[in-house]
Amino acid sequence: MVEQLSRELGRIKGVEWSRKHKPFQAVYNTDDYFLPYRKRESSLRVFSLALLIVYYFFNVARRAMAFLTLGYQASLRVKSPSASVPINVSTYAKDYRLSPITTTFICCPQCSSYILCIWKLPKIPLPDWLARMLARPDMEELLEKYKDYKVKEVMEDIWQSSFWWNFKDAEGKPYFASAPDEELRLLFGLGMDGFNPFQSKES
């Protein structure tokens, strides 16, 4: 019985290992990134654009942004007592699809374990992030410019490195050199930045 169970576990592990090492293929619907922006009254549209510029470029807190929207609403109600506008800046960000799609995990604030339901940790799924990036005008053409580069001893770009051109796929073939013209191939690196362990936003 134990031997049978051990063999079955070994088989399952083998199947899972093979599945994970197959070339990754996925289809992701990017239609949402090409839909027209939400229509709003012209004066509110101008206000919302100014609000988003202040929020994203000057790093103003959301509480302060809510105060600005309340002030704008109060000015509208001088002429129309029933006038109402969205107070939360995230509503305006959604109008222009500036807010990333995130998946929230419940984890421990000390060890980041997903088992303890203590702390919510939002993460952006890679397919959503990638879809948003590739939906930008001319992005795919820019990413495929590596085909115009060759290996150089003195490099001006990573595309001129021997590592880039010698990088192999699961079948041992050059990953980028063997790419068909109709296929976009990407290489991701893992970067890490420092952080304040005391959870302060300024360090």
Side-chain angles (χ1 to χ4, degrees):
M1 181 67 179
V2 175
E3 291 182 0
Q4 183 179 359
L5 180 59
S6 179
R7 285 195 298 270
E8 181 62 17
L9 288 173
R11 186 191 67 80
I12 294 173
K13 285 172 63 178
V15 171
E16 188 66 15
W17 180 267
S18 300
R19 185 184 66 82
K20 288 185 177 181
H21 284 75
K22 288 181 179 179
F24 176 76
Q25 294 181 350
V27 177
Y28 192 90
N29 187 352
T30 59
D31 290 347
D32 289 345
Y33 297 104
F34 295 96
L35 294 175
Y37 296 135
R38 180 174 179 176
K39 293 183 178 180
R40 291 192 183 273
E41 191 268 329
S42 58
S43 61
L44 180 57
R45 187 163 64 248
V46 172
F47 170 76
S48 66
L49 285 172
L51 195 75
L52 291 170
I53 290 172
V54 171
Y55 178 65
Y56 283 106
F57 286 90
F58 297 96
N59 299 316
V60 178
R62 291 197 174 198
R63 183 177 298 179
M65 303 306 296
F67 180 79
L68 291 176
T69 54
L70 285 170
Y72 178 68
Q73 180 174 263
S75 67
L76 292 177
R77 288 184 176 179
V78 173
K79 293 184 178 180
S80 178
S82 61
S84 179
V85 298
I87 302 301
N88 197 326
V89 68
S90 63
T91 303
Y92 300 105
K94 289 178 181 177
D95 286 353
Y96 298 95
R97 293 187 291 280
L98 297 176
S99 299
I101 299 173
T102 60
T103 300
T104 301
F105 295 91
I106 305 297
C107 65
C108 173
Q110 295 180 348
C111 66
S112 298
S113 171
Y114 292 155
I115 299 175
L116 300 177
C117 300
I118 299 176
W119 185 41
K120 288 186 177 181
L121 177 66
K123 289 187 177 180
I124 303 176
L126 180 61
D128 295 292
W129 178 87
L130 192 58
R132 178 185 286 268
M133 183 185 73
L134 294 178
R136 296 175 181 175
D138 303 323
M139 179 56 70
E140 289 194 46
E141 288 77 6
L142 289 171
L143 291 173
E144 289 192 325
K145 274 194 170 183
Y146 74 86
K147 296 178 180 179
D148 300 330
Y149 285 76
K150 301 298 181 184
V151 176
K152 292 180 64 176
E153 184 175 350
V154 180
M155 295 180 293
E156 298 174 355
D157 197 285
I158 190 176
W159 289 337
Q160 295 172 328
S161 69
S162 58
F163 172 83
W164 179 275
W165 290 103
N166 294 329
F167 187 77
K168 302 292 194 302
D169 62 14
E171 298 177 354
K173 299 178 181 178
Y175 182 68
F176 292 100
S178 62
D181 291 337
E182 68 277 3
E183 184 176 307
L184 175 66
R185 293 191 174 184
L186 303 173
L187 178 66
F188 292 91
L190 180 63
M192 194 175 108
D193 198 358
F195 65 94
N196 189 324
F198 302 104
Q199 300 183 359
S200 173
K201 294 183 179 178
E202 295 182 1
S203 60

